[in-house]
Amino acid sequence: MPELEFTEITGLREFWALSVIQVKPRQRRFTKNVLLSWMQSRHPAVSFYRVDQKGTLVGYVMLIHAQEPTQWIIERLTIDQAYQRQGLGYAVADYLIDMVHGFENSEMVIARYEPENVAARKLFDKLNFVQREEMFRDRHVAVLQFEFEEVEDDENGEEDGDLDADEGDAGEDADSPVEDVDDDDEERN
C-alpha cells in the first residue's frame, strides 16, 4: 500500500493550499469548495486532513465524529487527478478506518457520498462497507461496523487469547492482504 502522510489542517492558508487539487471533469460535481470545507472544519467534531505522498500534496479527506459517540464519518475523500488509479483513495480510507478502530469505544465508520458517484460506492464495497438503502442529506450511506471479539478470563485470571512471553507467535500476519482498488476509486465521495 502507498505510504502516505496525514496532516490535520485548520488554518485558512492551509485550506487555500488545497485549491491546487484538480479532479477529472466528471468528478467536479462531487467536489466541495475549499472555503466551504474550511468553514465546516471550524466545528469541533470535524477533522480535515491534507494527504501527502513523498512530500507532494495528493489529496484531502474529512473525518467527522458523529452525534453518536461511537460513530465516525468519512467524507470528501478527494485525490488529485494526476495521482488517481494508484490505490491512494483505498489507502486513505483504510488508514482512517484503522485510526478510528483504535479510538476508545468506536464501533462504526460511515461513508457518505453522492448517489451518482459509482467509484465511491465501489471503493467502500471493497473496504467491506455495507450499503444502506436510506439516504442522509441526499447522499448514500455505507457502514462499516467493527466486530470486537469477546475476551473472557481463564481460570488464572488471564485473558484468553493472550500469548505467554515465551510462546511467541508463528510470524504470520493474522490479517490477509487486500488488493489495491484498480477502479476509479479515488473519485471524490
Side-chain angles (χ1 to χ4, degrees):
M1 207 169 300
E3 281 192 44
L4 301 174
E5 180 182 331
F6 291 76
T7 306
E8 186 171 0
I9 60 174
T10 56
L12 182 55
R13 180 173 286 158
E14 296 167 312
F15 271 90
W16 199 249
L18 301 177
S19 63
V20 300
I21 297 290
Q22 298 293 312
V23 295
K24 296 175 182 174
R26 71 176 192 272
Q27 297 169 323
R28 289 185 186 142
R29 66 178 181 237
F30 307 131
T31 306
K32 302 292 185 212
N33 178 293
V34 172
L35 185 58
L36 174 64
S37 296
W38 175 74
M39 291 186 324
Q40 291 175 330
S41 75
R42 310 313 307 149
H43 191 283
V46 175
S47 297
F48 208 94
Y49 297 93
R50 169 191 171 118
V51 181
D52 290 277
Q53 182 181 35
K54 297 179 183 175
T56 301
L57 174 64
V58 295
Y60 55 83
V61 65
M62 181 185 284
L63 184 64
I64 305 167
H65 191 188
Q67 289 180 340
E68 292 290 326
T70 61
Q71 299 176 357
W72 296 83
I73 302 167
I74 296 174
E75 198 168 282
R76 300 219 179 122
L77 173 55
T78 305
I79 302 297
D80 187 278
Q81 66 183 352
Y83 300 96
Q84 292 182 6
R85 301 189 58 79
Q86 298 175 25
L88 297 180
Y90 185 96
V92 169
D94 189 54
Y95 174 86
L96 292 175
I97 292 165
D98 286 348
M99 183 171 73
V100 168
H101 192 259
F103 294 161
E104 188 174 334
N105 298 321
S106 63
E107 295 179 2
M108 181 182 300
V109 177
I110 300 166
R112 292 194 309 217
Y113 55 90
E114 302 291 333
E116 306 84 35
N117 196 339
V118 176
R121 182 181 194 107
K122 287 180 182 181
L123 169 64
F124 291 111
D125 282 348
K126 288 183 187 246
L127 286 160
N128 297 317
F129 279 69
V130 175
Q131 305 294 326
R132 297 256 174 110
E133 292 302 316
E134 74 265 14
M135 304 265 286
F136 178 79
R137 295 185 181 165
D138 299 323
R139 288 185 227 135
H140 280 297
V141 176
V143 174
L144 177 64
Q145 274 189 280
F146 300 130
E147 295 182 17
F148 295 101
E149 295 179 19
E150 291 293 322
V151 178
E152 297 179 23
D153 290 344
D154 65 11
E155 64 243 19
N156 297 328
E158 296 178 10
E159 292 179 355
D160 286 343
D162 286 349
L163 294 175
D164 290 334
D166 59 349
E167 283 184 59
D169 67 3
E172 293 182 26
D173 191 345
D175 296 326
S176 60
V178 180
E179 289 184 32
D180 281 347
V181 176
D182 59 357
D183 297 318
D184 272 345
D185 67 336
E186 288 81 16
E187 280 192 43
R188 220 238 74 335
N189 303 330

